[in-house]
């Protein structure tokens, strides 16, 4: 299996830089940018045309996504996901052997599930001191 990270501007190489900083090089992963100087045809020529691919795109409906969908429509074991985050990329790629993964659609679902679970809002918890004479020594969450 090969994973293609793609998106507008320097989305792909930006993720590549972050991945290298946090985890080093990921096996079976290629990063392809779609820059302002490129045409749709230029991007299409950079994409592999073969089975056993997962495209990890920046957003649904953009040129990288559309070009990936065209390839996916020609092969059985090609999946296209969009809107996933760096946390999902790291979690899935580090916990799975991407080059030896067999089902593109199963891998795509892992990215989606991981992205969903990684989205969180920080919430502060308030703790109060309880005096010893009230039968508790320490703090209590309220």
């Amino acid at each position: 299996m090969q994973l293609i990270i793609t998106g507008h501007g320097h989305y792909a190489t930006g993720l590549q830089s972050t991945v290298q900083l946090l985890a080093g090089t990921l096996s079976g992963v290629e990063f392809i940018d779609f820059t302002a100087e490129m045409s749709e045809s230029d991007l299409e020529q950079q994409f592999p045309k073969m089975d056993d691919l997962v495209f990890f795109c920046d957003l649904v409906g953009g040129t990288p996504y559309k070009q990936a969908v065209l390839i996916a429509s020609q092969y059985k074991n090609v999946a296209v996901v969009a809107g996933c985050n760096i946390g999902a990329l790291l979690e899935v790629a580090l916990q799975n052997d991407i080059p030896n993964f067999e089902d593109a659609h199963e891998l795509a679902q892992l990215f989606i599930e991981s992205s969903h679970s990684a989205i969180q809002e920080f919430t502060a918890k308030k703790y109060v001191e309880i005096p010893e004479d009230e039968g508790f020594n320490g703090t209590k969450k309220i």
Side-chain angles (χ1 to χ4, degrees):
M1 187 69 55
Q2 185 174 4
L3 177 61
I4 306 294
I5 311 295
T6 188
H8 297 85
H10 296 284
Y11 173 81
T13 52
L15 288 181
Q16 181 179 28
S17 173
T18 301
V19 165
Q20 287 178 337
L21 177 68
L22 298 172
T25 302
L26 298 177
S27 180
V29 181
E30 185 176 350
F31 300 85
I32 301 174
D33 287 328
F34 177 56
T35 61
E37 301 80 29
M38 297 171 69
S39 68
E40 284 188 42
S41 177
D42 293 335
L43 180 63
E44 185 262 335
Q45 290 175 15
Q46 289 193 34
F47 284 170
K49 280 86 176 162
M50 57 187 244
D51 243 331
D52 302 329
L53 293 174
V54 173
F55 287 92
F56 184 108
C57 304
D58 58 349
L59 55 96
V60 173
T63 299
Y65 181 86
K66 290 188 291 186
Q67 289 298 318
V69 166
L70 289 173
I71 293 169
S73 69
Q74 299 171 22
Y75 297 92
K76 181 179 178 181
N77 198 31
V78 175
V80 181
V81 295
C84 296
N85 56 46
I86 186 71
L89 174 58
L90 287 169
E91 179 180 332
V92 173
L94 293 173
Q95 291 181 3
N96 295 278
D97 183 8
I98 299 294
N100 291 315
F101 210 94
E102 294 184 11
D103 188 325
H105 303 283
E106 182 182 333
L107 185 58
Q109 286 307 304
L110 291 175
F111 283 120
I112 293 167
E113 292 166 11
S114 181
S115 289
H116 283 244
S117 68
I119 298 171
Q120 299 179 18
E121 177 187 6
F122 168 78
T123 54
K125 305 291 184 204
K126 187 173 182 177
Y127 291 86
V128 295
E129 290 288 327
I130 308 291
E132 274 187 62
D133 61 347
E134 290 186 20
F136 181 79
N137 184 12
T139 60
K140 183 177 182 182
K141 182 171 72 170
I142 59 170

